[in-house]
Amino acid sequence: HSQRCCEELVAAGAIDTLLRLIQTISRSIPDQEVLKHVLSTLRNLARYPHLLEVLIQRHNSIQTIVLELLRNKEEGFFIASELLKKICSTHKGVDAILKSPALLKRLRSLVEELTRKTTYQKRNVRGPTPSSVVIVRENTDRRLKEATEILKLLTQP
């Protein structure tokens, strides 16, 4: 995770390789484990502002990360969310997302869908709730919170 290590990875073309890998990964359990590591690696690279800028400038990088956020419902969602929040912490990142109205629309739709789900889950509580239902509800609440934070970062002046 050292800065020098991350710089060497980027210089060797890791960002392009990782983004291509994301696009070829299937939804199988082993591939989802690989995806988590790929997203974590990108998140680690994005810790450094100059490397974050390189990530933002890569063709289709933002779109790839947003699509993974939309597709994933497990841990990958939260890693992609952290990465997007990091991207949205810079003007270039916000501009890159705002240049694509389709991505912004999909993020808004995600927030609307998660809002509906949480409302529905809260409304349908009857009697003792099995722990699995509680976990699903908490996961949905967390996803809603993360998606809302990203949208706020994009729409704040």
Side-chain angles (χ1 to χ4, degrees), residues 59-71:
H59 179 67
N60 283 342
S61 62
I62 306 285
Q63 179 181 2
T64 301
I65 295 164
V66 170
L67 290 177
E68 278 313 308
L69 178 87
L70 296 171
R71 270 189 213 127

Side-chain angles (χ1 to χ4, degrees), residues 15-16 24 37-38 43 45 61-62 73 76-77 81-82 90 95-96 112 119-121 126-128 140:
I15 290 178
D16 291 329
T24 60
H37 292 291
V38 168
R43 179 186 59 195
L45 295 176
S61 62
I62 306 285
K73 295 184 179 11
F77 176 92
S81 170
E82 286 180 53
T90 68
D95 289 344
E112 289 172 10
T119 303
Y120 177 76
Q121 288 170 346
R126 294 186 185 113
T140 305

Side-chain angles (χ1 to χ4, degrees), residues 114-124 141 144:
L114 291 171
T115 302
R116 277 193 303 273
K117 277 186 180 180
T118 56
T119 303
Y120 177 76
Q121 288 170 346
K122 288 176 185 173
R123 199 180 315 148
N124 288 333
D141 287 343
L144 174 60

